Amino acid sequence: MKGDKAIVTGASSGIGRRTALALAREGVDIALAARREGRLEELADRIGSETDAEALVVPTNVREEAAVEELIGTTVETFGRLDLLVNNAGLVVGGKIEDLSTAEYRSMMETNVDGMFFATRAALPHLRASGGTLVFIGSFAGQYPRSFNPTYAGTKWWTRGFAKSVAAQADGEIAVTTINPSEVRTEIAAQTGESFEDRFEEGEVVEPEEVADAVVFAARQDNTMVSELDLYRRDKFEDF
């Protein structure tokens, strides 16, 4: 993978941050995309001090079509090509349908659905040219019915369906992978408003580093592809 060029959305924290670090340690040059520029700059400095990879900071709100197109364009202009897009940026708000405001609904749809569509559409021609890899961060919530936060779950069902159909349309020119973790110990908040990072002890659920390792594994494949990869805590199915 050394010398490959990648974009990671939602790179300022959690899965995105750990994925960027993991890829950089493999020698991959990375465009870091998220809204929090200060965090991206700090991450870029760490990548520069700990690895030989180049980190490009591109502050991006994936809900904005023009911003996403600028992200892809700037990355390709700077690095010369694109080998990997990690569609990671996501949002969880609310819970019960009857309590979910229209603004909360739209914020999730615009981030989890529109953002992935904008990035995929803009990146596809470049990934086709490089024979690259497109990774979607899905969720356990996109595989099984859930009694809480159906709207978030719906966005992740969309992610899986979209990814599978993009793979079908790609005619084998690119690899398309969906990674489905159960709870990940990050800043993301549960229905209670408490973050998974605070709610769970280290090792109790999926760690962001484990998702990052899964991304690296998927991106390493050459003549084959990882279609889906599930990462669940070991007792996850006790919920059923």
Side-chain angles (χ1 to χ4, degrees):
M1 295 178 66
K2 185 175 178 60
D4 280 357
K5 317 299 180 184
I7 294 172
V8 179
T9 67
S12 61
S13 65
I15 293 170
R17 177 183 175 84
R18 293 301 179 181
T19 296
L21 285 167
L23 290 169
R25 290 176 184 134
E26 297 290 330
V28 178
D29 296 325
I30 308 165
L32 307 171
R35 292 178 296 173
R36 293 178 286 188
E37 185 172 1
R39 287 199 178 192
L40 296 181
E41 294 286 358
E42 183 273 328
L43 178 57
D45 289 343
R46 181 174 173 182
I47 288 171
S49 65
E50 295 182 5
T51 76
D52 294 328
E54 181 179 349
L56 174 68
V57 172
V58 189
T60 307
N61 183 347
V62 297
R63 296 164 64 178
E64 299 176 0
E65 180 179 357
V68 174
E69 291 178 352
E70 183 176 352
L71 163 66
I72 306 299
T74 298
T75 301
V76 173
E77 182 179 353
T78 302
F79 291 152
R81 69 177 194 273
L82 179 63
D83 301 289
L84 171 65
L85 169 64
V86 182
N87 260 325
N88 166 69
L91 178 68
V92 182
V93 293
K96 291 184 177 180
I97 291 290
E98 57 265 42
D99 297 331
L100 191 71
S101 71
T102 300
E104 289 172 327
Y105 164 79
R106 294 199 186 284
S107 67
M108 271 196 289
M109 296 298 292
E110 290 172 2
T111 304
N112 300 359
V113 175
D114 295 356
M116 287 197 176
F117 169 76
F118 293 150
T120 300
R121 182 179 63 183
L124 268 175
H126 306 289
L127 293 174
R128 286 182 186 272
S130 66
T133 302
L134 174 59
V135 175
F136 293 86
I137 303 301
S139 173
F140 181 92
Q143 296 177 293
Y144 299 94
R146 285 164 42 113
S147 60
F148 53 96
N149 211 330
T151 304
Y152 172 75
T155 68
K156 290 304 182 179
W157 281 87
W158 181 92
T159 296
R160 289 182 67 231
F162 182 61
K164 294 286 191 186
S165 298
V166 169
Q169 196 175 77
D171 294 327
E173 293 180 335
I174 66 171
V176 183
T177 299
T178 307
I179 297 173
N180 304 303
S182 57
E183 301 93 331
V184 183
R185 214 170 61 86
T186 67
E187 295 176 3
I188 199 166
Q191 187 174 352
T192 60
E194 181 185 22
S195 75
F196 285 154
E197 193 171 41
D198 294 331
R199 178 179 172 185
F200 297 105
E201 297 294 328
E202 185 175 354
E204 189 176 358
V205 294
V206 179
E207 295 291 333
E209 293 86 352
E210 294 176 300
V211 184
D213 289 344
V215 173
V216 171
F217 174 75
R220 275 203 184 112
Q221 309 310 307
D222 285 327
N223 299 320
T224 59
M225 74 175 185
V226 179
S227 178
E228 283 197 85
L229 196 159
D230 300 336
L231 289 171
Y232 304 155
R233 68 174 202 250
R234 292 188 176 186
D235 65 349
K236 184 62 179 174
F237 287 110
E238 289 184 7
D239 295 344
F240 289 81

